[in-house]
Amino acid sequence: MTGGPGQRLAVRVLLAVFAGYALASAFAMALPSLLPKPRAQAVLTATLLGFVVHLVAALWVFTEPDLRRVAAGLLLPAVLLTALGLALQQTAT
């Protein structure tokens, strides 16, 4: 990515906050249907693990030098997990 260091930092912060949140929420949406627990415990477990996913995503954003790889590495799994979560919710009802 071209641009000054301030612009690259701003993109990293936006990726860490918003793409990390998208990945964490997609993870927390898809996981409860896969866990062999009662629904309430599965949702709580997935939500707590979602915080860990967001933290790891934010750390990765600031350690990986290639911003395109970071964006693809966060957004593509978020889209796939969202599709999986929606498909699992449709089959569960």
Side-chain angles (χ1 to χ4, degrees):
M1 174 180 184
T2 60
Q7 185 180 11
R8 287 193 299 271
L9 178 62
V11 170
R12 285 186 190 277
V13 169
L14 291 173
L15 281 172
V17 172
F18 295 110
Y21 177 78
L23 179 62
S25 63
F27 177 83
M29 182 178 74
L31 188 62
S33 299
L34 301 173
L35 292 177
K37 294 183 173 191
R39 185 73 177 161
Q41 288 180 351
V43 169
L44 180 62
T45 301
T47 302
L48 291 174
L49 287 174
F51 287 113
V52 175
V53 168
H54 196 179
L55 172 67
V56 171
L59 289 172
W60 183 54
V61 165
F62 289 103
T63 57
E64 175 64 39
D66 186 11
L67 283 175
R68 285 187 209 119
R69 183 174 177 192
V70 170
L74 293 177
L75 296 175
L76 183 62
V79 169
L80 294 175
L81 284 171
T82 300
L84 175 66
L86 291 174
L88 290 172
Q89 286 179 1
Q90 292 296 324
T91 59
T93 58

